Amino acid sequence: MKIFLGYILLALVVISKFTPAQEKDNISLNLIEPLPGRQLELNGKPFYIIGTVSPAGSKLKINGKEIQVDEDGAFLAYSDIILFNDNGVTIGKLLFNISYGGVDKEIDKTYPVKQIVRTTPANKLEFDKSWQTLPSENQTVKIGNNVKVEVKATPNSKVYFNVGGSDENYPMHETSIVNNYIWGDAVFGEGFKGLSDTVKGIYAGSFNVTKELKDSEIKITAVNDALGTITETAPGKISTFNSSIPEIVKTKSYPNLIIGRYGPDLGYKLFLDGGINLEAINQLGSWLECRLSGDETVFIPEADVNIMPEGTPLPDASIYILRTEDSAGFVNVDFGLSGRCPYKIIEHENPQSIEVLVYNVTSNIDWVFYDRKSSFIKQIKWDQPKDNVLKVMVYLNEKTHWGYSANYDGNVLNLKIKKPAKRNSGFLFWSNQLKDRVIVLDPGHNPDTGAIGPRGTRERDMNLQISMQLKEMLEDAGAKVFLTHTTGPLPLRERKERVNSFNPEISISIHNNAVPQGVDPIKHNGCSVYYYYPQSLPLAELIHRNFVKGLGLKDFGLYWDNLYMSRIPESISLLVEPAFMIIPAQEKLLLTYEFREKIARSIFNALKEFYEEYSQ
């Protein structure tokens, strides 16, 4: 008996000794965002953290703060990061404390961090590398152009520069900037607030190029009475084009038109067909600044043009006639140009009209021909508001159009305007306006996963499921529905061509949302809709209204946004984000057939309303 009791006591000692360690081994963290090793930008805001802990029922603290955990272990937190110094380098850390069954386990994850721009310390004279010194890339300019020089350095210094080792020094003026908002928060969160930090010691200047230069360096000197003198060379060198021969380039031809921008990597200005000659007046690294008119320019990538032989004349075309032609579903407006020219299309709603600006052209219009098989076009007016710019206004009789395309056939620019869909006939007061409608659905993402939920759910999978359910619903109502892809990947830049191959009346790209770091998703989440072209706004409003009414989620907003899949002018095109992948409760909803059916039904109802109101 004593021996038996001894064995029992020994077993209890063994159990008490090893069970906590075994329990600790069973505790784990699956972190989805932010992944360890990813650089985090410090902007004064906390970071959102998503993932799961196991076993289910575990308790979680992050950096000492208790975090709500779903019954299956999924969590979303919004937390500051711990900063510490590691051999002179600032590192960020998240400390996870997971508790289960009276056993605690600590897990820490470390991150490289990027500091927000701050004023350079005043106790040492230095050029601050957290700011991009200009010119940052090699630059080729025409004589007579200005070159901007900029640097960040110790405040209250005297800063100047010279070009190519000349004796002439150009002064630089000290300015400051105010960091008072974060981009992501301004768009999706708290708005234009959250920061109030003035950054001093930014020095700017410029010089006018008056002579030919070849790979000339710009040396910048800073002088501080108390701290001494320092000099550095700007990264970019300056050269000039041949002053007597214009630099002419010709745009290349692509399935997607070339994007002309307001500046390198800045906003969209216009789209360029292939075969258009332009005068290059400036080159900033891989970007060419090209003249559109006397005082207006556009930036395009150097890789998207061919350099024309010396002696190629400056772009200069004329136009003699504007002509309309009616066809089933469309009206064409043809511009009879003598050469291909850049153009910009602007839509107006009051009155309903399309404005076309054509550059590098001088008008000699004597005729405007109207094809009166249709009264869709009310009137066409034109004028020449400034040298080399033709402005054509196409006024419509209808309250809207359903898309447009513009392309060259030789030197004739064809603007093809899609008429509103015709109403389906019905019996007495009933008709099915969805019957035979051609609609394209684009399941967002793939090959990339899109956003990932705390449980590891991939956005692209949910987008496809919703698209398939909506497709079935619309086809049951008689619509002709096509998906851009189902089983395989389709790169984003190939999707516009796939959409247009079906010649749809409407295209909808289906996504589910996340927010950038710096925005609190616990407060800012819900359903949202995005459009680009004015003809898509009425449908965007209807879908947004149906989401808010039918999904039971917060209203995250209706947005104009420069998204690729909403920037398809040939149809009514938009993008939807019904729910948030990174919110545990919404991720769980998206995993159910019933909630995805609610999303599909909301879009279905909006499409039905749209056709009933806007078909003619």
Side-chain angles (χ1 to χ4, degrees), residues 72-368:
D72 61 356
F75 69 87
L76 163 65
Y78 191 57
S79 172
D80 289 313
I81 195 167
I82 299 170
L83 298 177
F84 66 96
N85 189 289
D86 183 16
N87 293 323
V89 178
T90 302
I91 302 293
K93 181 169 73 172
L94 293 173
L95 181 62
F96 298 84
N97 183 280
I98 307 169
S99 302
Y100 182 76
V103 178
D104 291 344
K105 183 175 183 177
E106 284 195 350
I107 301 171
D108 63 74
K109 304 290 183 181
T110 58
Y111 302 86
V113 296
K114 179 182 178 182
Q115 299 279 358
I116 194 170
V117 175
R118 302 288 189 192
T119 299
T120 308
N123 60 352
K124 180 182 178 182
L125 182 59
E126 61 181 334
F127 292 113
D128 191 337
K129 300 306 180 185
S130 69
W131 190 265
Q132 187 178 58
T133 299
L134 300 180
S136 59
E137 298 180 287
N138 291 346
Q139 194 168 335
T140 305
V141 303
K142 289 182 72 71
I143 290 178
N145 283 6
N146 291 318
V147 173
K148 182 178 181 180
V149 181
E150 189 171 272
V151 72
K152 185 171 182 285
T154 306
N156 303 316
S157 301
K158 178 183 178 182
V159 182
Y160 58 88
F161 69 91
N162 67 57
V163 182
S166 70
D167 294 331
E168 183 176 8
N169 291 326
Y170 298 90
M172 300 182 74
H173 176 67
E174 182 177 359
T175 61
S176 61
I177 62 169
V178 179
N179 285 331
N180 56 9
Y181 71 91
I182 301 163
W183 172 85
D185 221 21
V187 178
F188 300 112
E190 300 294 336
F192 294 101
K193 56 186 178 181
L195 294 178
S196 182
D197 180 39
T198 299
V199 180
K200 300 177 181 179
I202 298 166
Y203 298 86
S206 64
F207 71 99
N208 185 266
V209 179
T210 58
K211 62 182 180 181
E212 292 188 1
L213 301 173
K214 178 65 175 176
D215 292 333
S216 293
E217 293 182 336
I218 295 179
K219 290 192 179 296
I220 306 171
T221 300
V223 180
N224 188 291
D225 292 340
L227 301 172
T229 301
I230 56 173
T231 300
E232 79 161 14
T233 302
K237 299 177 182 179
I238 307 300
S239 301
T240 53
F241 290 116
N242 187 319
S243 60
S244 59
I245 303 174
E247 181 84 7
I248 307 300
V249 298
K250 178 174 283 189
T251 55
K252 297 178 180 178
S253 296
Y254 299 114
N256 291 308
L257 298 182
I258 295 168
I259 299 167
R261 299 175 182 265
Y262 287 99
D265 287 319
L266 295 183
Y268 290 20
K269 183 167 187 172
L270 50 77
F271 301 92
L272 291 159
D273 288 78
I276 293 176
N277 282 4
L278 295 162
E279 181 191 6
I281 61 171
N282 196 357
Q283 180 166 6
L284 288 81
S286 61
W287 290 87
L288 290 175
E289 183 181 11
C290 297
R291 193 188 308 279
L292 291 176
S293 64
D295 60 351
E296 194 170 352
T297 63
V298 65
F299 287 80
I300 56 178
E302 182 184 18
D304 290 340
V305 301
N306 292 312
I307 307 298
M308 300 301 289
E310 289 188 354
T312 301
L314 288 166
D316 183 24
S318 55
I319 180 170
Y320 305 98
I321 187 170
L322 296 168
R323 183 182 179 91
T324 72
E325 181 180 2
D326 187 78
S327 62
F330 297 90
V331 170
N332 297 317
V333 181
D334 291 328
F335 294 65
L337 297 159
S338 63
R340 292 192 175 203
C341 301
Y343 59 84
K344 182 178 183 178
I345 297 175
I346 306 167
E347 298 181 59
H348 301 282
E349 297 176 79
N350 292 306
Q352 185 69 214
S353 57
I354 296 178
E355 176 183 349
V356 184
L357 295 173
V358 188
Y359 298 93
N360 295 332
V361 64
T362 302
S363 174
N364 191 22
I365 297 173
D366 283 329
W367 300 90
V368 178

Side-chain angles (χ1 to χ4, degrees), residues 361-377:
V361 64
T362 302
S363 174
N364 191 22
I365 297 173
D366 283 329
W367 300 90
V368 178
F369 173 79
Y370 294 97
D371 183 347
R372 279 311 183 194
K373 292 195 289 288
S374 165
S375 60
F376 181 67
I377 291 180

Side-chain angles (χ1 to χ4, degrees), residues 312-539:
T312 301
L314 288 166
D316 183 24
S318 55
I319 180 170
Y320 305 98
I321 187 170
L322 296 168
R323 183 182 179 91
T324 72
E325 181 180 2
D326 187 78
S327 62
F330 297 90
V331 170
N332 297 317
V333 181
D334 291 328
F335 294 65
L337 297 159
S338 63
R340 292 192 175 203
C341 301
Y343 59 84
K344 182 178 183 178
I345 297 175
I346 306 167
E347 298 181 59
H348 301 282
E349 297 176 79
N350 292 306
Q352 185 69 214
S353 57
I354 296 178
E355 176 183 349
V356 184
L357 295 173
V358 188
Y359 298 93
N360 295 332
V361 64
T362 302
S363 174
N364 191 22
I365 297 173
D366 283 329
W367 300 90
V368 178
F369 173 79
Y370 294 97
D371 183 347
R372 279 311 183 194
K373 292 195 289 288
S374 165
S375 60
F376 181 67
I377 291 180
K378 180 179 182 179
Q379 188 180 20
I380 295 177
K381 292 184 176 182
W382 68 270
D383 69 352
Q384 190 105 32
K386 53 185 177 180
D387 290 348
N388 298 320
V389 180
L390 174 70
K391 177 180 175 181
V392 176
M393 296 294 302
V394 181
Y395 294 95
L396 307 179
N397 271 317
E398 305 292 347
K399 62 181 178 181
T400 187
H401 63 88
W402 280 36
Y404 70 84
S405 62
N407 54 71
Y408 275 102
D409 182 5
N411 292 335
V412 176
L413 174 61
N414 173 248
L415 174 64
K416 189 176 185 179
I417 308 172
K418 185 180 288 187
K419 300 175 186 176
K422 291 185 178 180
R423 290 189 65 81
N424 290 332
S425 58
F427 178 73
L428 296 178
F429 299 105
W430 182 88
S431 63
N432 178 10
Q433 293 306 321
L434 287 173
K435 181 175 172 55
D436 295 327
R437 303 306 189 187
V438 181
I439 298 169
V440 171
L441 304 178
D442 171 60
H445 302 286
N446 198 352
D448 63 304
T449 61
I452 299 178
R455 299 170 180 85
T457 309
R458 299 181 302 186
E459 182 196 343
R460 74 182 186 195
D461 298 335
M462 295 299 97
N463 298 342
L464 179 59
Q465 290 294 325
I466 294 166
S467 299
M468 296 295 289
Q469 289 174 234
L470 177 56
K471 180 177 188 290
E472 182 179 358
M473 197 178 289
L474 288 167
E475 287 178 337
D476 287 346
K480 298 176 181 177
V481 184
F482 302 93
L483 268 63
T484 56
H485 63 103
T486 53
T487 57
L490 181 65
L492 179 63
R493 294 293 169 179
E494 296 179 17
R495 296 192 183 200
K496 177 181 175 180
E497 189 175 7
R498 180 70 59 85
V499 167
N500 287 335
S501 71
F502 301 112
N503 191 24
E505 295 169 341
I506 291 171
S507 66
I508 302 174
S509 188
I510 294 174
H511 291 249
N512 284 283
N513 219 342
V515 288
Q517 285 290 6
V519 181
D520 182 358
I522 298 171
K523 292 173 59 178
H524 304 288
N525 67 78
C527 51
S528 53
V529 181
Y530 305 77
Y531 79 99
Y532 184 81
Y533 290 104
Q535 72 261 22
S536 302
L537 177 56
L539 178 57

Side-chain angles (χ1 to χ4, degrees), residues 553-610:
L553 302 178
K554 293 179 182 178
D555 177 2
F556 193 58
L558 175 65
Y559 294 82
W560 176 92
D561 201 347
N562 185 15
L563 297 169
Y564 184 81
M565 291 308 296
S566 58
R567 206 179 61 245
I568 301 177
E570 292 87 351
S571 62
I572 305 290
S573 57
L574 45 84
L575 183 146
V576 300
E577 302 262 16
F580 262 64
M581 290 300 307
I582 62 174
I583 306 292
Q586 293 181 37
E587 178 193 23
K588 186 183 286 188
L589 286 172
L590 285 165
L591 287 166
T592 68
Y593 180 90
E594 293 75 17
F595 185 73
R596 297 196 301 270
E597 194 78 354
K598 281 186 177 182
I599 294 171
R601 178 62 63 183
S602 296
I603 299 172
F604 176 91
N605 289 341
L607 286 166
K608 184 178 176 183
E609 292 176 57
F610 181 76

